[in-house]
Amino acid sequence: MNNPAVRAVVTDIEGTTTDINFVHKVLFPYAQAKLPDFLRANADTPAVAEQISAVRSEMGDPDATLDAVIAQLLHWIETDQKATPLKALQGMVWADGYQRGDFKGHLYSDVAPALRQWQQAGKALYVYSSGSVQAQKLLFGYSDEGDLTPLFSGYFDTHIGHKREATAYQRIIAELDLPPEAVLFLSDVVEELDAAKQAGMQTLQLVREGTQAGNTHACVTRFDEIAL
Ligand SMILES: CSCCC(=O)C(=O)COP(=O)(O)O
Ligand SMILES: [Mg+2]
């Protein structure tokens, strides 16, 4: 692909820039282990209290005990549900892990050089992940390729909508203030690419090891196959 009409790139994280195993075998278990104590210690902190209250709303039980809230959050982690308050709390817990050096954000080796090249070519770079904006900034800020946050012009999470819904991409396009066809969305998940295409974006599927290629979107296996 060589497409000078592309003026902005929006990238997914898990399975696109980053190994799914890092998310599922490092980040999620870390949050699972640390969340209960983190919530008990910080339940009265305004940022945490706000998310606890959002969990209670999603449970439909404004009086749910903290133990019930914790059980709900652990269930969401086990079943990989992209609930917005869970994602916010995970980001807060991962901040400790990154800052203490317990892990670094995994990036495939082709990602950082391509992002730098695209930025130098004048493309605006954005992230769209179900992980919270805080979690996205941590992953790229404490990545195993160093701090890549200066490369990005912005970040979107589930506050803009869910990744399999076209309306989320329409809102992103409105925020970028670009024609939809000037925006390229990169993801490993066909349903996300379908939604982005429905909103008028260009799409490319990343077929990393273990990803099933679909037949409705152009595919690449690495970022360095994408010439912008
Ligand atoms: C921002 S790193 C953690 C990613 C995460 O929590 C997640 O659920 C993966 O979502 P994605 O939309 O990147 O598949
Ligand atoms: Mg993905």
Side-chain angles (χ1 to χ4, degrees), residues 6-225:
V6 169
R7 292 167 59 192
V9 178
V10 179
T11 185
D12 165 53
I13 293 180
E14 179 189 308
T16 300
T17 61
T18 299
D19 193 336
I20 290 174
N21 283 325
F22 172 69
V23 177
H24 286 259
K25 296 195 173 158
V26 178
L27 290 182
F28 287 178
Y30 189 91
Q32 197 163 18
K34 305 277 184 182
L35 250 181
D37 284 351
F38 174 83
L39 287 172
R40 289 189 186 106
N42 298 290
D44 295 331
T45 309
V48 176
E50 185 187 335
Q51 299 309 326
I52 291 174
S53 152
V55 175
R56 289 187 173 122
S57 295
E58 293 212 18
M59 293 168 73
D61 180 0
D63 301 319
T65 62
L66 188 56
D67 281 347
V69 166
I70 290 170
Q72 179 68 71
L73 287 161
L74 295 179
H75 173 69
W76 282 339
I77 294 177
E78 275 156 29
T79 52
D80 191 16
Q81 293 192 46
K82 310 297 190 187
T84 302
L86 166 66
K87 293 291 149 191
L89 290 165
Q90 281 177 321
M92 296 177 202
V93 170
W94 292 331
D96 258 357
Y98 284 111
Q99 282 155 10
R100 291 155 45 115
D102 290 345
F103 44 76
K104 288 185 173 191
H106 173 265
L107 295 178
Y108 288 110
S109 61
D110 50 284
V111 169
L115 292 175
R116 287 194 192 98
Q117 196 182 324
W118 298 342
Q119 200 218 28
Q120 275 161 19
K123 316 297 176 185
L125 306 180
Y126 296 87
V127 181
Y128 180 29
S129 169
S130 309
S132 67
V133 167
Q134 179 187 19
Q136 299 170 26
K137 289 180 175 170
L138 287 164
L139 189 144
F140 285 103
Y142 290 88
S143 89
D144 41 25
E145 305 285 337
D147 179 7
L148 299 191
T149 55
L151 295 176
F152 291 101
S153 299
Y155 303 83
F156 299 100
D157 61 18
T158 52
H159 286 97
I160 200 106
H162 285 276
K163 292 179 76 188
R164 298 180 186 208
E165 293 169 5
T167 47
Y169 299 86
Q170 286 161 354
R171 291 186 196 120
I172 290 173
I173 290 162
E175 295 251 341
L176 268 47
D177 199 20
L178 286 172
E181 63 279 8
V183 183
L184 172 64
F185 178 58
L186 306 176
S187 176
D188 58 321
V189 174
V190 169
E191 290 82 354
E192 296 174 6
L193 295 163
D194 287 344
K197 194 176 235 178
Q198 208 182 320
M201 286 184 183
Q202 298 197 49
T203 56
L204 263 182
Q205 186 184 15
L206 265 294
V207 184
R208 302 287 188 181
E209 204 179 322
T211 304
Q212 188 75 32
N215 54 14
T216 43
H217 304 272
C219 294
V220 291
T221 60
R222 300 168 50 91
F223 273 25
D224 51 20
E225 291 169 40

